[in-house]
Amino acid sequence: MTPPEAPDRKPGNSPPAVSSCAHDSLNVLRKRSDFLAAARARRQGTPAMMVQGRDRRDDDPSIRVGFTCSKKVGNAVARNRAKRRLRAVAREVLHSYGQPGWDYVLIGRAQETAARPYEALRDDLIHALRKLRGPR
């Protein structure tokens, strides 16, 4: 990804403030009802996180994801750090291993999400997504 170029001084000829790639974007869950629906569906625990997943059963093939960390994870700085790491690993993994038409919620774990090596965090998410895909 390259940084945006400096804008020309001509009016109406400026690049976007942020360059974007299609594979870097995530459809993020925002509504409480979506989080509650995912909480009633399948779940898979790993050492670094809990992953909840549900098939929306609608015609939208997009993969949506939500992130949350309770106060057990720590203060606001620790929770935000854990969620940043979850967002980074989800951005890398979900397009390859997630199922179209599903919602996923990634829940950070106290002492684990922020401290776990990134490769192990990535492997945990891949493992959880594979387990959620299987029949139940």
Side-chain angles (χ1 to χ4, degrees):
M1 195 156 86
T2 60
E5 298 174 9
D8 290 340
R9 295 294 177 199
K10 299 173 189 166
N13 192 16
S14 62
V18 176
S19 59
S20 63
C21 296
H23 70 284
D24 281 347
S25 64
L26 290 174
N27 292 331
V28 179
L29 297 177
R30 304 268 184 219
K31 294 181 183 176
R32 184 172 188 269
S33 60
D34 292 331
F35 281 88
L36 293 175
R40 289 188 303 270
R42 296 179 179 183
R43 66 183 57 123
Q44 178 64 44
T46 67
M49 70 188 86
M50 173 70 73
V51 180
Q52 299 170 337
R54 79 174 183 107
D55 186 357
R56 289 193 310 271
R57 301 191 189 283
D58 60 6
D59 294 331
D60 184 10
S62 67
I63 298 172
R64 301 188 310 176
V65 63
F67 307 94
T68 186
C69 290
S70 72
K71 288 190 177 184
K72 290 179 185 178
V73 173
N75 62 10
V77 174
R79 291 192 307 270
N80 287 333
R81 180 167 192 255
K83 285 191 280 188
R84 274 196 309 273
R85 296 191 81 217
L86 291 175
R87 276 193 298 270
V89 77
R91 196 176 300 119
E92 182 180 337
V93 169
L94 274 179
H95 291 289
S96 300
Y97 294 93
Q99 290 190 257
W102 278 56
D103 288 346
Y104 296 101
V105 175
L106 279 58
I107 304 170
R109 290 191 188 260
Q111 311 293 318
E112 293 296 325
T113 304
R116 194 147 170 91
Y118 185 79
E119 290 301 318
L121 194 67
R122 189 171 77 72
D123 292 341
D124 284 348
L125 181 57
I126 291 170
H127 172 74
L129 292 174
R130 285 183 175 156
K131 291 293 247 181
L132 287 172
R133 180 180 300 162
R136 282 203 180 164

